[in-house]
Amino acid sequence: MVTPEQNIPTIFTAFGATGDLMRIKVVPALFNLFQKGELPKMFRVVGFSRRSWSDAQYREYIEEILTQYGTGATPQETIAAFLQLFHFQEGTFENDASYAALKSKFDSLDGEWGVCANKLFYLAVAPEFFDGIVRKLDASRLTEPCLPREMAAPPISWGEPLEGWTRVIVEKPFGTDDGTARALDVLLGELFEEKQIYRIDHYLAKEMLQNILTFRFANNLFELSWGKDLIESIHIRLLEKVGVEKRGAYYDKNGALRDVGQNHVLQMLALLVMERPQSFDTDVIRGKRAEILQALSLLSEDEVRQDTMRAQYEGYRVIDGVAPDSETETYFKVTAHLDHPRWAGVPIILEGGKRLGEPLKEAVITFTHPQPCLCPDGRHHKNGVIIRMEPQEEIIIEFWSKKPGLAMQTEARQFHFLLREQTARMQYTEEYERLLLDCIRGDQTLFITTDEIRAMWRFVDPILATWARGVPALTSYAPDTRDITEIS
Ligand code: BG6
């Protein structure tokens, strides 16, 4: 439930009010938070878009989203009350008058409530619009707390969970390489402090990813073995069943490594290999994630040739928005190493892509025996820990057991922990509930820092640059098969 200090009047402004992100992720997540009583009592959503809609028309649109999402047994009054939270502001991203109109909308809500509400700007738009929107927000002084700029020193500090803050939520992609990411950061940095910027990587909000830190640090089972002496390799897979479908234009400019490698896969790695944080404090956790990402060894051209693979599924080039001679990868495999005493020499295999059969999203940690083990059948036994998100959220520990019977034989067995019944999981909605609530409440732990972003691009950029020179050559694979993943 909302505690008084969390009950901060908040106006959530969505740029890209009628886009896919709002429809698929944000609106259902807000609806769930509303039903759970987690939103502040004074809370409004202002949708900003070029359509000439009234509040009533926007509410009808939101209602349709809810109907598609399924409102179950929710009473009609609850749905009606939720819809009342939504307002609409017609406008274009480049027009000053639109921002002035937005400001009047805020003023009238603030006036109605008799407070200076916090303002949360959600940029659910393509990256080419970021710059324009952010500059207009600044020019129209919408990014300031509710205080005139002329005041010598604001009585509240920006970004604090008090009345009057402004925050901005930015969705990936954060640039397309280190240079563009840095430019975006410079821009955001001119207008916001780091504590006001919330960069979303929805993987960090996944239950199983949050569980990695609990599994490692709330238990003492594996942590002492967690390093090069006993771990032989780490393999992170993000194999998707879905293809590129309607996202051809976006995807063809980016490819699999930028789409899921530079962010989701590397964030998962960070949680798996980061040093033990002294506490669960936001800055400590984020600092440890950044530190280990900065330790990724950069691959030389020869290493890219030998240790990476890129492939495209057959049929990709006829997708709308994809160039007929596209060289964009829809699959990658990269063997990485960490320049870190704990992990020296441990191969880390990072893999991801689309149309690869049934989904398989997991990290496999393979243990080794430092010396040949006492294994009755002469085989060298290995243990594994699998942390899996799909097809189901589970942790598996692979071990060897004596086969029942008179002979002294061993067999591979598994301890198996299922996080919950998979019907209880609402993909995206659950993650966005967590992220939006954390942003309203001012907890940045699950949001990525600029240091992390820079470290991830620093690792990925040389690989992409070498691939752009045709090294190694792009190969192809039959969609809906795993054949390509078998090639080493
Ligand atoms: C997104 C990518 O960031 O992550 C998509 O743009 C990808 O292409 C998705 O499908 C994967 O996320 P999840 O939660 O479905 O594993």
Side-chain angles (χ1 to χ4, degrees):
M1 281 306 285
V2 182
T3 61
E5 59 279 9
Q6 289 161 343
N7 199 9
I8 304 157
T10 302
I11 301 175
F12 179 101
T13 304
F15 290 89
T18 55
D20 276 356
L21 278 165
M22 281 295 279
R23 191 168 51 77
I24 300 167
K25 301 176 178 174
V26 175
V27 171
L30 289 174
F31 183 58
N32 287 354
L33 289 173
F34 179 73
Q35 292 193 88
K36 291 175 188 166
E38 296 283 354
L39 291 178
K41 285 205 187 71
M42 288 182 232
F43 182 82
R44 292 287 189 279
V45 180
V46 178
F48 185 97
S49 146
R50 61 169 65 238
R51 301 187 194 198
S52 25
W53 275 355
S54 61
D55 288 354
Q57 282 169 305
Y58 192 43
R59 288 171 189 165
E60 272 171 35
Y61 172 79
I62 300 294
E63 194 169 10
E64 272 167 38
I65 296 177
L66 293 183
T67 311
Q68 278 168 20
Y69 171 65
T71 48
T74 310
Q76 203 48 47
E77 312 86 78
T78 310
I79 297 175
F82 177 70
L83 294 175
Q84 288 307 306
L85 303 181
F86 287 79
H87 297 255
F88 191 78
Q89 178 58 57
E90 176 184 353
T92 56
F93 297 154
E94 59 285 347
N95 177 5
D96 291 335
S98 305
Y99 292 81
L102 192 58
K103 185 152 188 349
S104 333
K105 197 127 209 161
F106 289 172
D107 291 344
S108 89
L109 282 170
D110 279 349
E112 198 183 298
W113 285 337
V115 296
C116 162
N118 300 323
K119 314 290 182 315
L120 220 162
F121 299 103
Y122 177 60
L123 304 190
V125 297
E128 57 266 32
F129 298 115
F130 282 3
D131 191 283
I133 295 177
V134 170
R135 285 188 195 287
K136 291 284 183 205
L137 282 175
D138 181 52
S140 55
R141 301 171 68 168
L142 282 162
T143 53
E144 292 176 17
C146 305
L147 289 163
R149 191 173 269 190
E150 303 73 67
M151 278 187 71
I156 54 168
S157 73
W158 288 21
E160 290 302 313
L162 296 169
E163 215 175 280
W165 51 243
T166 61
R167 290 182 188 146
V168 61
I169 306 181
V170 190
E171 289 275 357
K172 77 179 246 290
F174 310 108
T176 48
D177 57 18
D178 188 41
T180 46
R182 191 186 322 195
L184 174 61
D185 256 1
V186 168
L187 169 73
L188 289 172
E190 279 171 21
L191 313 174
F192 299 95
E193 290 182 27
E194 184 65 20
K195 64 185 168 192
Q196 291 173 280
I197 307 170
Y198 286 69
R199 301 178 190 82
I200 290 190
D201 181 325
H202 76 283
Y203 261 60
L204 280 180
K206 283 187 187 286
E207 280 293 341
M208 277 317 269
L209 262 79
Q210 294 180 62
N211 215 348
I212 292 176
L213 294 192
T214 315
F215 180 74
R216 286 187 57 195
F217 301 120
N219 298 300
N220 204 18
L221 271 175
F222 294 105
E223 200 47 30
L224 292 179
S225 335
W226 212 253
K228 65 177 188 316
D229 295 338
L230 288 176
I231 290 182
E232 186 181 279
S233 66
I234 296 179
H235 192 148
I236 299 179
R237 295 192 175 91
L238 210 159
L239 310 183
E240 299 189 73
K241 180 184 169 91
V242 293
V244 170
E245 280 100 35
K246 294 190 179 134
R247 300 166 73 212
Y250 151 80
Y251 198 89
D252 205 39
K253 278 196 231 107
N254 290 282
L257 187 58
R258 280 197 182 92
D259 185 46
V260 298
Q262 184 269 348
N263 34 67
H264 309 328
V265 171
L266 288 180
Q267 282 295 323
M268 198 161 164
L269 174 67
L271 296 172
L272 286 167
V273 294
M274 72 186 221
E275 288 293 289
R276 184 180 190 281
Q278 297 81 350
S279 70
F280 275 119
D281 288 354
T282 301
D283 290 347
V284 178
I285 301 269
R286 296 169 105 200
K288 290 289 176 202
R289 290 199 311 251
E291 195 179 281
I292 203 72
L293 290 167
Q294 283 157 352
L296 279 162
S297 310
L298 304 190
L299 273 61
S300 66
E301 175 154 347
D302 275 350
E303 286 164 334
V304 174
R305 182 181 290 111
Q306 281 158 29
D307 299 339
T308 76
M309 267 177 69
R310 57 190 185 115
Q312 188 184 77
Y313 64 80
E314 288 154 15
Y316 168 77
R317 289 180 183 173
V318 300
I319 295 172
D320 216 18
V322 170
D325 55 354
S326 171
E327 286 277 299
T328 300
E329 82 287 354
T330 58
Y331 167 82
F332 66 88
K333 193 192 269 182
V334 170
T335 302
H337 286 90
L338 286 162
D339 193 3
H340 188 280
R342 186 196 276 256
W343 296 106
V346 179
I348 295 167
I349 299 130
L350 310 169
E351 189 182 17
K354 299 219 178 266
R355 294 287 298 268
L356 292 163
E358 288 309 306
L360 184 61
K361 302 181 185 176
E362 64 181 15
V364 180
I365 297 102
T366 306
F367 289 76
T368 183
H369 291 270
Q371 289 147 14
C373 66
L374 275 180
C375 308
D377 41 16
R379 283 190 283 172
H380 186 71
H381 290 172
K382 293 177 187 179
N383 300 116
V385 171
I386 303 174
I387 299 176
R388 186 172 283 156
M389 293 168 295
E390 284 188 42
Q392 52 185 15
E393 296 162 297
E394 58 192 344
I395 298 179
I396 295 167
I397 297 175
E398 297 176 322
F399 68 104
W400 296 82
S401 168
K402 180 186 170 301
K403 223 175 182 172
L406 296 178
M408 188 55 187
Q409 285 178 338
T410 51
E411 61 181 352
R413 302 295 291 263
Q414 294 187 334
F415 283 122
H416 185 242
F417 157 72
L418 183 64
L419 183 70
R420 54 185 161 176
E421 287 307 321
Q422 294 310 291
T423 45
R425 174 164 162 254
M426 289 174 295
Q427 192 160 19
Y428 301 131
T429 314
E430 177 176 277
E431 292 130 18
Y432 272 73
E433 275 181 50
R434 168 85 276 146
L435 292 168
L436 296 177
L437 197 60
D438 283 357
C439 183
I440 292 168
R441 295 183 179 175
D443 183 345
Q444 289 184 303
T445 314
L446 301 182
F447 295 84
I448 41 183
T449 62
T450 182
D451 289 347
E452 291 172 85
I453 290 179
R454 299 284 306 278
M456 294 188 288
W457 280 125
R458 180 179 160 273
F459 173 70
V460 161
D461 277 355
I463 303 174
L464 290 169
T466 312
W467 286 358
R469 294 194 291 276
V471 178
L474 180 80
T475 51
S476 67
Y477 59 99
D480 310 321
T481 68
R482 288 263 173 79
D483 301 349
I484 189 76
T485 67
E486 308 294 332
I487 303 170
S488 54

